[in-house]
């Protein structure tokens, strides 16, 4: 649960202002649906309590009462000092140079000195090379984050420089830069939206129950998932989650029939369906983007060609240690970071009628990963809430900007910084055990039924809503096993 401890340094460590969420409606950017009636008339300003009551009692997974945010995106912008929006190409490039120098130096040191001539003990050499993969994986993740800055145009004022640096860095990490940039931008425009989010949509009660081959109304009776089953799921998620997302869009929306150019007709997420980040005809993209998808693929082809040459010249064993294992560490950190930015027992998700931009951006959480998070991963873990409101602010100004928006967000700002880096790792287990699917609160009414929270079959936190069998059948709420 969110920590309330005050940080020692208000710039380097942000104050935590809330344990849970609470509020009412919102004004959103132009791409958002129409705002709630509670923000559109003067008479509504005097009936906040009435609006709250009309939504029923909304409870997050911990049992904290939730209210929908009531501030506007303009208030967020106005609260941030103007200099926080300033981007420096020189400063950003210096971070790229620093990380590349570290990566090169660590490789040189290990390649030169972690050898039988200097270290006769094979077990010691194995440990040092294993440590090499961890360190390289962390700094390569830092490089990934800097390319992420490029994708959001937070790297510098020059779009050409941003996209050039981003394409080179991401391609070196086998990331299709423009393909990712486009889908990731759509994710930012629909964060927390149950049908439009392009990156992370949790399962509904019905979707989850279909996977275990049960009727939806029987979920409350299912036996607890064993810890070992949770652990196996986590390992598979950490190792393969990123590649599955790129190749099958596994956690993104599956509403491709709505693609306005018709590219999604008959297409669903999965292997061999064309819904991926490499196919120019994928419904994830418009026709105007297709050349950029091809350019992304060219970047990957160049990197794969270089890796093939290294493997043939120096052997697969060396390629495995030098590149593949650090690459898997990068994938692990990307999945862990993304999962924990959008998955927490305190976070809501919204249906199409209830969602708007300001609400969705608040449905994220900041965490703390200590020195590694702030200095190697460039603060991507610690300032994610701000990033979802204004993604063009460079990471080195994000702490100050985060502090500036917290008075506006008030109790709606979420952070879990308890126990620092250890707490970050513990949160992976907590979220895996507590956050299995989303559903409306049992006592939700009206607009409140469009606000969904995580529930689980492990007896943790607020129990799932009990659906009577007869009622469920009468309403057609029956979900069979996966096809």
């Amino acid at each position: 649960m969110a920590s309330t401890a005050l940080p020692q340094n208000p710039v380097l460590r942000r104050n935590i202002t809330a344990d849970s969420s609470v509020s009412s409606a919102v004004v959103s950017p132009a791409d958002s649906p129409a705002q709630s009636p509670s923000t559109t008339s003067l008479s509504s300003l005097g009936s906040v309590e009435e609006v709250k009551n009309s939504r029923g009692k909304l409870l997050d997974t911990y049992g904290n009462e939730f209210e929908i945010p009531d501030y506007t995106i303009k208030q967020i912008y106005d609260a941030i000092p103007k200099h926080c929006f300033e981007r420096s190409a020189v400063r950003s490039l210096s971070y790229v140079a620093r990380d590349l120098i570290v990566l090169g130096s660590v490789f040189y040191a290990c390649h030169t000195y972690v050898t039988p001539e200097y270290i006769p003990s094979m077990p010691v050499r194995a440990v040092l090379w294993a440590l090499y993969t961890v360190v390289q994986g962390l700094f390569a993740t830092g490089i990934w984050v800097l390319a992420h800055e490029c994708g959001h145009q937070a790297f510098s004022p020059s779009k050409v420089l941003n996209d050039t640096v981003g394409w080179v860095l991401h391609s070196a990490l086998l990331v299709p830069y423009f393909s990712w940039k486009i889908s990731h931008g759509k994710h930012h425009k629909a964060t927390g939206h149950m049908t439009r989010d392009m990156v992370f949509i949790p399962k509904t009660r019905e979707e989850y129950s279909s996977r275990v081959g049960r009727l939806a109304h029987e979920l409350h009776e299912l036996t607890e998932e064993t810890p070992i089953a949770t652990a196996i799921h986590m390992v598979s998620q950490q190792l393969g989650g990123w590649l599955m997302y790129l190749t099958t869009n596994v956690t993104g929306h599956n509403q491709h029939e709505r693609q306005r150019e018709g590219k999604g007709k008959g297409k669903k997420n999965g292997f061999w369906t064309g819904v991926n980040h490499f196919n120019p005809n994928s419904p994830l993209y418009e026709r105007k983007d297709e050349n950029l998808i091809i350019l992304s693929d060219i970047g990957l082809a160049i990197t794969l060609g270089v890796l093939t040459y290294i493997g043939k010249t120096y052997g697969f064993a060396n390629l495995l240690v030098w590149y593949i294992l650090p690459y898997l560490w990068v994938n692990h950190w990307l999945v862990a970071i993304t999962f924990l930015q959008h998955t927490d027992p305190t976070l809501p998700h919204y249906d199409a009628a209830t969602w708007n931009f300001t609400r969705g951006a608040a449905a994220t959480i900041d965490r703390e990963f200590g020195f590694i998070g702030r200095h190697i991963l460039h603060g991507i873990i610690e300032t994610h809430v701000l990033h979802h409101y204004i993604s063009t602010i460079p990471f080195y100004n994000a702490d100050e900007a985060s502090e500036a928006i917290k008075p506006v967000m008030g109790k709606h700002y979420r952070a879990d910084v308890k126990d620092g880096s250890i707490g970050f790792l513990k949160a992976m287990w907590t979220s895996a055990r507590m956050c299995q699917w989303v559903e409306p609160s049992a006592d939700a009414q009206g607009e409140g039924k469009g606000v969904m929270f995580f529930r689980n079959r492990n007896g943790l936190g607020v129990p799932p809503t009990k659906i009577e069998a007869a009622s469920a059948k009468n309403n057609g709420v029956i979900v069979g096993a996966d096809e």
Side-chain angles (χ1 to χ4, degrees):
M1 192 178 289
S3 169
T4 55
L6 292 176
Q8 296 178 344
N9 187 316
V11 174
L12 295 181
R13 299 176 64 85
R14 296 169 316 292
N15 297 316
I16 308 309
T17 60
D19 283 310
S20 62
S21 58
V22 188
S23 200
S24 65
V26 167
V27 174
S28 54
D31 63 339
S32 300
Q35 59 214 45
S36 166
S38 63
T39 60
T40 58
S41 68
L42 291 176
S43 61
S44 69
L45 298 178
S47 59
V48 173
E49 194 63 31
E50 182 180 331
V51 170
K52 173 185 172 182
N53 292 337
S54 72
R55 295 172 177 147
K57 189 174 184 179
L58 311 181
L59 297 178
D60 69 18
T61 317
Y62 287 130
N64 299 316
E65 191 165 356
F66 175 88
E67 297 175 24
I68 301 173
D70 56 1
Y71 51 86
T72 69
I73 190 65
K74 183 178 186 302
Q75 289 175 286
I76 293 289
Y77 270 89
D78 291 346
I80 299 173
K82 301 305 179 188
H83 65 266
C84 289
F85 294 88
E86 296 175 1
R87 301 160 291 174
S88 168
V90 172
R91 185 170 183 179
S92 295
L93 286 169
S94 72
Y95 285 106
V96 174
R98 184 205 72 175
D99 289 355
L100 291 177
I101 288 171
V102 171
L103 286 166
S105 299
V106 171
F107 174 79
Y108 174 80
C110 288
H111 185 259
T112 304
Y113 299 108
V114 184
T115 63
E117 292 78 13
Y118 288 94
I119 304 176
S121 172
M122 184 175 180
V124 173
R125 292 200 309 274
V127 169
L128 291 175
W129 276 110
L131 182 61
Y132 160 91
T133 68
V134 174
V135 173
Q136 296 294 80
L138 284 170
F139 277 92
T141 304
I143 288 290
W144 196 103
V145 174
L146 293 174
H148 168 265
E149 293 271 296
C150 293
H152 284 293
Q153 305 304 306
F155 191 82
S156 80
S158 169
K159 186 176 185 299
V160 172
L161 178 64
N162 293 339
D163 286 342
T164 301
V165 173
W167 180 78
V168 171
L169 297 182
H170 262 177
S171 295
L173 295 171
L174 292 177
V175 177
Y177 171 73
F178 291 103
S179 308
W180 161 85
K181 171 186 171 181
I182 295 166
S183 66
H184 189 70
K186 293 179 179 180
H187 157 64
H188 271 255
K189 292 180 179 179
T191 304
H193 194 298
M194 285 298 295
T195 56
R196 284 180 48 213
D197 193 343
M198 294 286 284
V199 174
F200 188 81
I201 297 181
K203 292 178 177 62
T204 62
R205 179 193 187 100
E206 289 74 19
E207 289 167 341
Y208 184 88
S209 63
S210 72
R211 295 192 66 189
V212 296
R214 300 285 185 139
L215 301 182
H217 67 271
E218 290 180 333
L219 261 180
H220 69 282
E221 297 174 347
L222 291 178
T223 56
E224 179 178 344
E225 182 179 79
T226 63
I228 189 64
T230 302
I232 292 171
H233 174 76
M234 287 180 62
V235 170
S236 62
Q237 172 182 280
Q238 296 310 118
L239 286 177
W242 172 241
L243 289 175
M244 286 290 288
Y245 170 67
L246 290 179
T247 56
T248 70
N249 197 45
V250 63
T251 57
H253 77 70
N254 206 14
Q255 309 294 321
H256 307 301
E257 291 283 350
R258 300 179 183 178
Q259 211 273 353
R260 58 188 176 185
E261 296 172 331
K263 295 174 67 176
K265 289 183 178 180
K267 294 183 178 179
K268 294 291 184 181
N269 294 342
F271 289 110
W272 322 121
T273 64
V275 183
N276 59 57
H277 284 69
F278 312 107
N279 179 11
N281 292 318
S282 171
L284 301 179
Y285 310 108
E286 282 68 52
R287 290 190 177 87
K288 64 181 177 61
D289 300 323
E290 291 178 358
N291 288 336
L292 294 175
I293 310 308
I294 293 172
L295 184 56
S296 299
D297 293 344
I298 291 172
L300 299 183
I302 293 172
T303 300
L304 288 172
V306 172
L307 293 176
T308 299
Y309 171 79
I310 292 173
K312 288 183 176 180
T313 304
Y314 299 99
F316 178 77
N318 282 324
L319 178 64
L320 176 69
V321 176
W322 293 348
Y323 183 93
I324 296 176
L325 293 180
Y327 168 78
L328 292 177
W329 275 113
V330 172
N331 289 2
H332 156 72
W333 289 120
L334 291 180
V335 173
I337 291 166
T338 304
F339 176 68
L340 290 180
Q341 286 168 341
H342 300 279
T343 309
D344 187 79
T346 66
L347 295 181
H349 284 75
Y350 300 93
D351 70 7
T354 309
W355 180 92
N356 64 35
F357 180 85
T358 313
R359 294 173 180 180
T364 58
I365 187 169
D366 288 342
R367 300 188 187 273
E368 177 65 48
F369 204 43
F371 179 87
I372 291 174
R374 294 184 174 278
H375 299 285
I376 298 179
L377 305 184
H378 306 295
I380 194 172
I381 294 169
E382 292 78 9
T383 59
H384 195 68
V385 175
L386 167 82
H387 177 68
H388 265 279
Y389 278 115
I390 308 171
S391 57
T392 54
I393 291 179
F395 75 89
Y396 43 79
N397 292 335
D399 273 306
E400 183 179 356
S402 291
E403 290 297 320
I405 70 171
K406 284 198 291 186
V408 176
M409 295 187 69
K411 54 193 172 184
H412 307 294
Y413 170 73
R414 284 177 185 70
D416 182 355
V417 301
K418 185 180 179 181
D419 299 329
S421 301
I422 300 301
F424 177 83
L425 298 175
K426 287 166 61 177
M428 293 179 63
W429 179 258
T430 299
S431 293
R433 294 291 287 168
M434 297 189 75
C435 304
Q436 295 183 331
W437 74 85
V438 294
E439 64 180 52
S441 297
D443 297 324
Q445 302 174 21
E447 187 183 35
K449 292 182 179 180
V451 185
M452 303 178 198
F453 297 94
F454 286 106
R455 300 290 186 256
N456 62 81
R457 62 191 181 108
N458 296 328
L460 301 173
V462 175
T465 303
K466 183 173 181 178
I467 303 177
E468 296 300 330
S471 174
K473 290 178 181 178
N474 289 338
N475 288 284
V477 189
I478 297 178
V479 185
D482 287 337
E483 295 181 359

